[in-house]
Amino acid sequence: MGEDELTFFDKSINEFGDKFRTRLIDNRSQVQGLRDAFKDSIRVLSEKLSLKLKEEERMAEMILEYKNQLCKQNKLIQEKKDNVLKMIAEVKGKKQESEVLTANIQDLKEEYARKKETISTANKANEERLKRLQKSADLYRDRLGLEIRKIPGDKLQFIFTSIDPKNPESPYMFSLSINETKEYEVFDCSPHLECLEEFQEKVRKTNNFSAFLANVRKAFIAKVHN
C-alpha cells in the first residue's frame, strides 16, 4: 500500500470513528431521552394507579359502610316487623279473650234469666198455694177452731183452739212453709208431736192438706187427753 493510500485509509478510519462516536453519542442521548420519558411515563402511570387504588379503596369503604347501614336498617325493619306481629298477636289474643268473656257473660245472663224465671214461677206457685190456704182460714176457723196467720219468711202459722175442754182458748200451733222443691215443710210445733214427721211425709205424697190439718188436730186432742 502506498503512502497516499495509507493516508487516505487513516483519514477514512478517523472519519468513520468520528461519525461512529457522533452517532454513539446521539444514540446515548436518544436512549437517555427514552429512558427519561419511560421513567416519566412510569411515574405518571404510578400516580394514576395510586389515585385509582385510593379511589377504589374509598369506593370499597363506601360500599362496606353502605352494607353495614343496610344491615342495620334491615335489622331495625325486622325488629319493627316482629313488634308489629307481636302487637297483632296480642290484639288478636285480647279480641279472643274479649269474645270468650262476652260469650261467658251472655251465658251467665241467660242462666240468670232462666233461674230468675224459675224462681219467679216457684214464687208465684207458692203465693197461689198460700193464698188458697189463706182463703180456707175462715172455714177452718169455724169448723176446727183454727186460725192461720202469715208470718215473716213467707210462712204460715196454724193456731188451734178448742182443743182442751178445760181451757178452750189455750193455743196449739205449728208453722209451715213450702220449700224449694214445692213440698210442705212443718216446724215450730208447740206442743211437740212425735207423729208430725209422719203426717208431713203423708201430705207430701197425697197433697191432701185438709186431712193433714185434721190429723194434726186429732193428735193435739189425743195429747191433751193422754
Side-chain angles (χ1 to χ4, degrees), residues 19 22 24 37 39 43 48-49 54 58 66 72 80 83 88 92 95 104 122 129 151 153 177 208 212 215 223 226:
K19 290 179 180 180
T22 300
L24 183 60
K39 287 182 178 180
R43 178 178 57 78
K48 289 182 178 181
L49 289 174
K54 288 181 179 180
R58 286 196 299 269
Y66 175 76
K72 290 180 180 179
K80 291 182 179 179
N83 290 333
I88 293 174
K92 287 183 178 179
K95 183 178 180 180
N104 291 336
R129 296 180 73 175
I151 59 177
S177 68
N208 190 341
F212 168 76
N215 289 332
K223 193 173 185 68
N226 289 338

Side-chain angles (χ1 to χ4, degrees), residues 170-207:
S170 179
Y172 292 74
M173 65 186 72
F174 70 91
S175 298
L176 179 141
S177 68
I178 300 175
N179 60 26
E180 294 180 354
T181 58
K182 300 181 181 180
E183 294 179 331
Y184 293 110
E185 188 170 354
V186 181
F187 52 92
D188 295 337
C189 183
S190 177
H192 179 69
L193 296 176
E194 295 293 339
C195 57
L196 189 62
E197 185 70 25
E198 179 184 348
F199 294 161
Q200 177 179 265
E201 292 300 323
K202 189 174 181 180
V203 74
R204 286 179 177 177
K205 293 178 181 179
T206 63
N207 203 30

Side-chain angles (χ1 to χ4, degrees), residues 135-153:
K135 288 179 180 180
S136 302
D138 293 339
L139 176 63
Y140 290 134
R141 183 173 60 250
D142 295 339
R143 293 186 179 181
L144 302 176
L146 173 63
E147 181 183 357
I148 303 174
R149 298 176 182 174
K150 188 173 182 180
I151 59 177

Side-chain angles (χ1 to χ4, degrees), residues 52-221:
K52 186 67 174 177
L53 289 173
K54 288 181 179 180
E55 289 178 357
E56 291 180 354
E57 288 177 357
R58 286 196 299 269
M59 184 63 68
E61 291 176 356
M62 290 175 64
I63 292 172
L64 182 61
E65 180 66 21
Y66 175 76
K67 287 183 177 180
N68 292 334
Q69 292 179 359
L70 186 61
C71 289
K72 290 180 180 179
Q73 290 179 357
N74 289 336
K75 186 177 180 181
L76 290 174
I77 292 172
Q78 186 62 42
E79 290 177 355
K80 291 182 179 179
K81 182 179 179 181
D82 293 340
N83 290 333
V84 170
L85 293 175
K86 184 177 179 181
M87 291 174 64
I88 293 174
E90 290 178 353
V91 169
K92 287 183 178 179
K94 290 180 179 179
K95 183 178 180 180
Q96 292 176 352
E97 290 178 1
S98 177
E99 291 175 352
V100 171
L101 182 60
T102 301
N104 291 336
I105 291 174
Q106 184 63 31
D107 291 340
L108 290 174
K109 286 182 177 179
E110 292 176 358
E111 183 178 357
Y112 173 75
R114 288 193 297 269
K115 289 184 176 180
K116 185 177 179 181
E117 182 65 24
T118 301
I119 293 172
S120 177
T121 302
N123 288 337
K124 289 180 180 179
N126 290 340
E127 288 176 2
E128 290 297 325
R129 296 180 73 175
L130 291 174
K131 285 179 180 179
R132 288 195 298 269
L133 291 174
Q134 190 68 45
K135 288 179 180 180
S136 302
D138 293 339
L139 176 63
Y140 290 134
R141 183 173 60 250
D142 295 339
R143 293 186 179 181
L144 302 176
L146 173 63
E147 181 183 357
I148 303 174
R149 298 176 182 174
K150 188 173 182 180
I151 59 177
D154 290 331
K155 302 172 184 176
L156 291 178
Q157 187 179 56
F158 296 79
I159 305 171
F160 290 94
T161 56
S162 302
I163 297 294
D164 187 354
K166 297 179 181 180
N167 190 4
E169 299 300 325
S170 179
Y172 292 74
M173 65 186 72
F174 70 91
S175 298
L176 179 141
S177 68
I178 300 175
N179 60 26
E180 294 180 354
T181 58
K182 300 181 181 180
E183 294 179 331
Y184 293 110
E185 188 170 354
V186 181
F187 52 92
D188 295 337
C189 183
S190 177
H192 179 69
L193 296 176
E194 295 293 339
C195 57
L196 189 62
E197 185 70 25
E198 179 184 348
F199 294 161
Q200 177 179 265
E201 292 300 323
K202 189 174 181 180
V203 74
R204 286 179 177 177
K205 293 178 181 179
T206 63
N207 203 30
N208 190 341
F209 195 72
S210 296
F212 168 76
L213 290 177
N215 289 332
V216 172
R217 179 179 174 78
K218 289 177 183 178
F220 280 139
I221 293 172

